Amino acid sequence: KVKPLLVKTVQDLAACDALIIPGGESTTIALLARLSGLLEPLREFVKSGKPVWGTCAGAILLSEEVRGTKKGGQETLGGVGIVVERNGWGSQVESFEASLEVDGLRDPNRPFLGVFIRSPLIVSILPPPLPPAPAIQVLARLTADHLPISDDPNIVNDDDPTDPRDDRTVVALRQGRVLITTFHPELTKDDRFHEYFIKQCILAK
């Protein structure tokens, strides 16, 4: 029942019932969206409540605030109450893989391999929006020993790998029908995140 469509134009977007915003370079994606007249239609698509999945760069574009931007700032689509930092773990050489326990996936006892390549870091989850806006549901966390050391005096570099209070450990979350992953599920042969998005965000009522 699901037919994929490559979105390059406003007309392509209008034909979609759901959208995946992929990884890549978030500044470039935003620039090309503006040049092709897609930026505002994308914002309206997100605001409409339709299912959207942002992975890595897509997660940056769906956030409310971005830190560590290039000169000139970063245009976003918004829609998810998070603050993210671009390249939060550092440069390409700091890329890594980690086994994740993810709520809601098929076969939940089997870890999901998270591939983190210049991934954004969720700095903080903003206070819950007023009803009827949906609350944020955390789906997966890294252990705190994966986190980069921060120079921010407002952040305590916690050595306790079991401490779930640090928002920076969150790597997958959902707010209503919007899904966020800071890693790249599409780079594995494990299709459970794609299945989750289709079943829980698109087809579920």
Side-chain angles (χ1 to χ4, degrees), residues 52-89:
V52 182
W53 178 10
T55 172
C56 199
I60 295 172
L61 291 168
L62 289 170
S63 65
E64 290 294 336
E65 180 183 334
V66 183
R67 298 180 183 176
T69 63
K70 291 184 177 180
K71 185 177 180 181
Q74 167 78 65
E75 289 190 288
T76 67
L77 307 176
V80 180
I82 55 175
V83 179
V84 302
E85 181 177 347
R86 294 177 76 255
N87 303 328
W89 274 273

Side-chain angles (χ1 to χ4, degrees), residues 127-158:
L130 296 174
I136 286 179
Q137 175 188 359
V138 173
L139 300 179
R141 291 179 181 269
L142 285 171
T143 54
D145 54 354
H146 280 95
L147 293 175
I149 299 299
S150 176
D151 296 327
D152 188 335
N154 297 314
I155 294 177
V156 176
N157 293 299
D158 194 345

Side-chain angles (χ1 to χ4, degrees), residues 107-181:
D107 193 8
N109 294 324
R110 177 162 57 97
F112 191 95
L113 181 64
V115 180
F116 295 81
I117 302 175
R118 294 180 64 196
S119 298
L121 182 70
I122 295 177
V123 177
S124 63
I125 296 176
L126 299 174
L130 296 174
I136 286 179
Q137 175 188 359
V138 173
L139 300 179
R141 291 179 181 269
L142 285 171
T143 54
D145 54 354
H146 280 95
L147 293 175
I149 299 299
S150 176
D151 296 327
D152 188 335
N154 297 314
I155 294 177
V156 176
N157 293 299
D158 194 345
D159 293 327
D160 180 2
T162 64
D163 187 355
R165 295 171 297 174
D166 193 335
D167 288 343
R168 297 178 303 155
T169 63
V170 177
V171 294
L173 59 82
R174 177 181 172 186
Q175 186 170 19
R177 303 176 81 185
V178 180
L179 179 64
I180 291 284
T181 51

